[in-house]
DNA sequence: AAATGTGAAGAGGTTCACAGCG
DNA sequence: CGCTGTGAACCTCTTCACATTT
């Protein structure tokens, strides 16, 4: 029914979903592609929105626009956001902490069920009722916690090994904050999803632009 | 000399730079596009690397490969990483803290020079010698601190206003962690560069894939 | 012989423009 | 008449294949 590579960008669908959720709170019941585009800002084109939504099945009424509530529900379904998800966090420094706090506060359908850290001073502590364990206990802890998604927020050198351990425990989705492209040996054909969040890489885009603009201005003068 | 949109992806250049820096530590002095691709993992193709590097000016020797040190230096120059950069952090919760700790520990050329927060209990505290101020003091604080790049780690509703304030104080580059696409009124033609880091959006890519795979398996059976 | 530099082919995603419906 | 749905044009980025150079 729903294919993986059907030419729609998932982050974009998520943006639609978020905008709709916010607009729904204001009591509107129907919306056009043009209005939705305006909500999303300059980056969005109406034609793009129509094409995306159309790819999920015709959800609009010509001449009227889209019924917001069904659309929002359907987007949530496609994005997998109508389910609850259990998260394991590997690396409970500031970043792991920040991520835990973020999803707990903001995304009610995500819950942190397991936490790992390498530091003996952190192991044994509790966060919101979840005990921090050593990664060597991963197998035992995850058998009970039954997590779907892992967030890796450990130092770069440890990331690859931690990722392999987690995959071995049945994790199939990874959000990787460590500044390394994880190269996972995709054993026995299981498919694993990884998203990398590369802070230093993003920063370098900014510095590149700043440096380039500065150069251009010098040249101009 | 260096153009902005010359068909090269900056994150990719940054990945090359990082890989080279790591490889340099091992004492090699020359590297081929194929070897570099192997260092980067499955995502990289030798032809792509050659094309990218070629676009920066011919830096290799046919039959031999690329001299690593000059290449690394040149990449750093293009990325703007040979300069020092001053960072202001808006929002000093876990995420702001995590970002501050990350760049301080890992990126010697980036330094946190100003911190803002809305909470009275945080304002007045110090972090590594930097005092946390109220955003209302932005003008005064930033006049002294002279920052280049802002990281916005405040709650979504506050993000747009904070961003505008910072732009008004001469900031031209923003790393935005708030789950909102910032719509900046680009006043008087100044160009501002924004990178969004959308944790919830990245998560939704994972949930989408997990949900889709689960569906496919049900269908199979 | 070996690996770069690069035009040409290809793939993927975006925008256009208009037919089709309500 | 208004807005969706959608094939076609378009554009950007990636991959291929080979001429070129050391």
């Amino acid at each position: 029914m729903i294919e993986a590579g059907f030419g729609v960008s998932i982050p974009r669908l998520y943006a639609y979903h978020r905008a709709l959720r916010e607009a729904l709170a204001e009591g509107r019941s129907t919306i056009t592609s043009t209005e939705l585009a305006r909500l999303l800002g300059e980056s969005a084109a109406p034609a793009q929105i129509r094409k995306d939504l159309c790819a999920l099945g015709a959800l609009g009424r010509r001449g009227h626009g889209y019924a917001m509530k069904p659309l929002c529900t359907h987007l949530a379904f496609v994005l997998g956001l109508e389910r609850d998800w259990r998260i394991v966090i590997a690396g409970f420094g500031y970043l792991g902490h920040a991520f835990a706090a973020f999803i707990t506060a903001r995304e009610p359908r995500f819950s942190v069920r397991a936490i790992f850290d390498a530091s003996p001073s952190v192991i044994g502590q509790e966060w919101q009722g979840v005990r921090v364990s050593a990664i060597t206990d991963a197998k035992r802890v995850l058998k009970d916690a039954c997590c779907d998604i892992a967030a890796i927020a450990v130092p770069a050198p440890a990331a690859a090994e931690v990722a392999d351990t987690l995959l071995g425990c049945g994790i199939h989705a990874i959000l990787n904050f460590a500044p390394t492209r994880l190269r996972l040996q995709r054993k026995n054909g299981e498919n694993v999803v990884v998203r990398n969040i590369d802070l230093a890489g993003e920063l370098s885009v900014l510095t590149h632009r700043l440096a380039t603009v500065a150069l251009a201005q010098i040249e101009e003068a």
Side-chain angles (χ1 to χ4, degrees), chain A:
Chain A
M1 178 184 184
I2 292 179
E3 295 250 326
F6 52 130
V8 182
S9 124
I10 300 302
R12 212 160 50 216
L13 290 188
Y14 178 76
Y16 302 162
H17 178 69
R18 182 157 58 202
L20 282 173
R21 230 171 17 181
E22 283 165 17
L24 262 175
E26 275 145 38
R28 302 275 316 274
S29 74
T30 183
I31 195 170
T32 69
S33 57
T34 317
E35 290 169 320
L36 184 50
R38 202 156 25 226
L39 287 181
L40 291 165
E42 40 190 72
S43 63
Q48 179 77 78
I49 294 174
R50 289 204 298 279
K51 195 142 231 180
D52 288 342
L53 297 185
C54 181
L56 305 180
L59 298 164
R61 282 178 59 205
R62 304 189 187 206
H64 292 248
Y66 300 87
M68 287 171 68
K69 207 134 72 180
L71 179 55
C72 198
T73 308
H74 192 159
L75 280 172
F77 172 72
V78 171
L79 293 169
L81 298 179
E82 90 298 359
R83 283 187 38 185
D84 291 331
W85 297 99
R86 295 174 295 269
I87 314 275
V88 46
I89 294 182
F92 207 52
Y94 282 112
L95 194 50
H97 226 106
F99 186 69
F102 171 78
I103 57 178
T104 302
R106 223 194 117 72
E107 302 288 334
R109 315 218 69 157
F110 292 77
S111 60
V112 175
R113 293 301 182 88
I115 302 175
F116 296 110
D117 200 281
S119 155
S121 66
V122 177
I123 294 171
Q125 286 184 9
E126 279 207 1
W127 185 88
Q128 304 269 345
V130 181
R131 191 187 194 74
V132 179
S133 308
I135 187 77
T136 44
D137 283 343
K139 210 119 212 168
R140 186 176 54 71
V141 171
L142 287 178
K143 215 180 86 185
D144 293 346
C146 224
C147 293
D148 309 291
I149 299 171
I152 296 186
V154 304
E161 198 185 332
V162 167
D164 273 344
T165 303
L166 293 172
L167 290 188
C169 297
I171 296 289
H172 287 85
I174 291 179
L175 200 58
N176 175 41
F177 290 92
T180 324
R181 283 277 175 283
L182 298 176
R183 213 169 336 152
L184 316 162
Q185 56 267 46
R186 177 167 317 228
K187 33 197 151 191
N188 59 42
E190 281 188 287
N191 43 6
V192 174
V193 198
V194 179
R195 297 290 288 187
N196 294 288
I197 295 183
D198 183 348
L199 297 182
E202 296 296 327
L203 262 179
S204 75
V205 175
L206 299 183
T207 56
H208 162 74
R209 283 286 283 275
L210 289 176
T212 304
V213 169
L215 271 184
Q217 285 175 349
I218 289 169
E219 229 156 84
E220 235 169 64

